[in-house]
Amino acid sequence: MQNDNAKPISISKQLVYDAFLRVKANRGSAGIDRVTLEDYEKDLRCNLYKLWNRMSSGSYFPPSVKLVEIPKSAGGKRPLGIPTVSDRIAQMAIVMLITPNIEPCFHEDSYAYRPHRSAHDAVNKARERCWGYAWVLDMDISKFFDTIDHELLLRALKRHTQEKWILMYIKRWLKVPYEKPDGSRIDRALGVPQGSVIGPVLANLFLHYTFDKWMEKTFPRIPFERYADDTICHCHSLKQAEYLQAKIQQRFENCKLHLNEEKTKIVYCKSSRRKESYSNVTFDFLGFTFQPRESIDKQGNRFTGFLPAISQKSMKRINETIHSWHLNRHSNQTLEHLAADINPIVRGWMTYYGKFYPTRLKRFMQTLNGRLARWVMCKFERYRNRFYPAQEWLAHIAEKEGLIFYHWKCGVLPRFTNKDKVKSQLIMVK
């Protein structure tokens, strides 16, 4: 698999194949052509050759992006663009080419879409800094992905690649229209489609120059954590936070972005050693709520710390998902079958939200045990309309037959369980 030197654009066939492997690993649904990954693989060699041939000749034009609108927790809808499988592979190939030149330039406090960095890293760093800084500026950029200016984005991109064909294809992806289910199209002159493969690296690059580098130059002593467009800044005083907010708002307007004034706020990191009074003492960041919480130090003394735990919005989403399973309608299944179906999802919740202040998550996950008790009530006639006896039956299963549900292994046991009997099977979620 070598380059075809007769082509005007030098793209390796191996690169296209490697891009396919990454797209396959990420999975994803079909685009407007309704071709799934499984369909694409049926004639993989031919499909990849066609894509390589078009890209290396400069004649590749991306098809419309399938528009899916996702409801927001706060109301309204978030537009999600789903490219075709072939287009995702083409985008991935370009991402693989430009990332090595862009990644080393990113700021150490930028965490999204980067290797060996995670949302947990950002939350943990925010937690540490809230101990040392009493004030936080919690920023919200209004419709960030939909309002990125193409001219400014391309100007930033040209600092990292001079390949005209790469810039040409990225321009085409930026302008590709959304296509609705009824076949109508929405032209785009701004923004990067959420759901695209190349969108994250472009959005990250835009905010790198709009915010990260500007902060480094203008406010070098004010630390921040940024995960895509979710950003918090740490300040020593209310006056400093107010000044910073005004300057950031001005900077964003110069870069054709806008702070959402209703959601952007200054927060006081209240704790046992901070006695000031302020209206806002809580903020959300990456699915966690930071607020004053009771803690115990190494000597066993109780104190109030400013700590993250699973947010109310996250719990609401989890609760909606649990409701959507309608477990009581699956009384024909065994408990083991239910566990096999839901454990992968529950494992994700426990792993992510159990990282910080896990006791709040564990208390909330008793909701799932309640749903399982209702399953017991539907399955067995003797437990019909008898909720607490159904809980006792689940506790008996946990003690005698093992912790078959993942949240049980994490210590979220059914009520009435004798924890001493199952202690050796528990996973400690820290």
Side-chain angles (χ1 to χ4, degrees):
M1 289 189 178
Q2 298 179 351
N3 292 349
D4 187 340
N5 294 327
K7 296 292 184 180
I9 297 174
S10 179
I11 299 178
S12 165
K13 291 178 181 176
Q14 184 66 49
L15 173 67
V16 176
Y17 179 70
D18 291 342
F20 160 74
L21 293 179
R22 289 201 187 183
V23 168
K24 181 180 178 181
N26 293 337
R27 296 182 289 183
S29 57
I32 59 167
D33 60 0
R34 299 181 182 178
V35 174
T36 64
L37 273 164
E38 291 75 17
D39 297 331
Y40 197 86
E41 280 192 277
K42 290 177 182 177
D43 196 4
L44 180 62
R45 187 181 185 87
C46 181
N47 286 330
L48 292 182
Y49 178 82
K50 287 179 182 178
L51 178 60
W52 168 81
N53 189 46
R54 289 171 183 167
M55 290 189 72
S56 58
S57 65
S59 62
Y60 178 75
F61 286 88
S64 300
V65 174
K66 182 170 127 180
L67 177 62
V68 177
E69 294 184 311
I70 309 298
K72 293 183 180 181
S73 57
K77 294 183 179 180
R78 185 190 309 278
L80 183 67
I82 303 177
T84 63
V85 171
S86 183
D87 196 41
R88 294 207 295 274
I89 298 169
Q91 291 185 37
M92 183 62 78
I94 300 301
V95 167
M96 292 168 68
L97 286 174
I98 65 175
T99 297
N101 291 330
I102 295 176
E103 169 59 30
C105 301
F106 283 150
H107 196 281
E108 63 177 336
D109 285 323
S110 169
Y111 292 89
Y113 320 125
R114 300 185 61 190
H116 313 301
R117 288 170 177 260
S118 68
H120 278 166
D121 294 330
V123 174
N124 189 53
K125 181 59 71 172
R127 180 183 63 164
E128 291 176 5
R129 285 173 172 161
C130 285
W131 297 340
Y133 294 80
W135 298 87
V136 157
L137 173 61
D138 177 22
M139 293 165 39
D140 185 275
I141 305 175
S142 181
K143 299 180 179 179
F144 168 65
F145 282 90
D146 298 327
T147 57
I148 294 175
D149 183 82
H150 290 173
E151 183 180 345
L152 292 176
L153 173 59
L154 291 169
R155 190 187 304 174
L157 189 61
K158 288 176 183 177
R159 296 189 180 190
H160 301 275
T161 180
Q162 297 299 316
E163 293 284 358
K164 292 183 179 179
W165 66 271
I166 290 179
L167 296 171
M168 175 186 71
Y169 280 135
I170 290 176
K171 286 179 184 178
R172 291 178 184 176
W173 280 313
L174 289 175
K175 295 184 181 298
V176 69
Y178 284 128
E179 184 165 321
K180 292 183 174 182
D182 62 5
S184 61
R185 296 184 178 183
I186 302 173
D187 292 330
R188 296 188 307 107
L190 293 171
V192 173
Q194 295 187 64
S196 66
V197 173
I198 204 165
V201 68
L202 295 181
N204 227 9
L205 182 65
F206 189 84
L207 275 181
H208 172 71
Y209 287 106
T210 299
F211 180 75
D212 301 357
K213 292 290 288 183
W214 177 81
M215 282 289 293
E216 191 177 67
K217 180 180 178 181
T218 312
F219 297 99
R221 296 184 179 181
I222 296 181
F224 64 88
E225 296 83 40
R226 183 175 68 79
Y227 194 94
D229 60 326
D230 289 334
T231 309
I232 56 174
C233 304
H234 302 269
C235 300
H236 283 299
S237 67
L238 174 60
K239 185 177 180 180
Q240 186 184 48
E242 290 172 339
Y243 180 75
L244 177 64
Q245 181 177 351
K247 288 299 182 181
I248 290 176
Q249 188 164 351
Q250 183 180 356
R251 169 63 178 174
F252 278 2
E253 288 176 356
N254 291 339
C255 297
K256 303 181 181 180
L257 294 177
H258 299 280
L259 283 178
N260 186 324
E261 295 184 7
E262 292 183 0
K263 294 183 179 180
T264 297
K265 61 182 179 179
I266 295 172
V267 178
Y268 180 53
C269 304
K270 191 176 181 65
S271 65
S272 293
R273 58 191 177 89
R274 293 173 181 155
K275 306 298 184 181
E276 291 185 51
S277 179
Y278 192 71
S279 57
N280 292 329
V281 292
T282 177
F283 68 89
D284 283 3
F285 185 53
L286 302 178
F288 295 90
T289 295
F290 284 70
Q291 68 179 52
R293 300 182 192 277
E294 185 179 88
S295 297
I296 302 175
D297 63 19
K298 293 179 180 179
Q299 288 72 41
N301 301 314
R302 294 183 180 275
F303 70 99
T304 299
F306 194 81
L307 300 169
I310 182 173
S311 69
Q312 195 67 38
K313 289 181 180 178
S314 299
M315 289 192 293
K316 181 182 178 182
R317 284 194 293 269
I318 290 175
N319 202 25
E320 288 172 350
T321 301
I322 293 174
H323 275 269
S324 72
W325 291 339
H326 299 294
L327 296 179
N328 57 313
R329 298 181 186 177
H330 298 277
S331 57
N332 59 320
Q333 293 185 359
T334 64
L335 211 57
E336 289 75 13
H337 281 131
L338 287 184
D341 288 341
I342 71 174
N343 272 350
I345 301 172
V346 176
R347 182 184 295 112
W349 294 336
M350 301 302 294
T351 302
Y352 185 77
Y353 295 110
K355 179 72 173 179
F356 303 100
Y357 212 85
T359 52
R360 178 169 169 81
L361 172 66
K362 290 178 179 180
R363 285 196 300 267
F364 166 70
M365 287 302 291
Q366 284 293 345
T367 302
L368 180 53
N369 285 335
R371 288 285 154 182
L372 291 172
R374 286 175 171 78
W375 174 87
V376 174
M377 291 161 60
C378 291
K379 186 172 183 67
F380 302 110
E381 183 68 33
R382 64 182 180 276
Y383 292 114
R384 199 64 47 89
N385 299 321
R386 301 178 66 204
F387 181 77
Y388 289 106
Q391 285 263 33
E392 288 188 82
W393 184 85
L394 287 173
H396 174 79
I397 293 295
E399 291 173 16
K400 300 297 183 183
E401 299 185 25
L403 306 181
I404 61 176
F405 288 98
Y406 189 82
H407 64 294
W408 290 3
K409 294 179 181 179
C410 296
V412 189
L413 295 165
R415 310 257 185 221
F416 316 112
T417 305
N418 186 334
K419 294 184 180 181
D420 290 335
K421 290 185 178 181
V422 297
K423 196 171 183 178
S424 62
Q425 304 177 64
L426 295 178
I427 297 173
M428 297 304 292
V429 179
K430 297 181 180 179

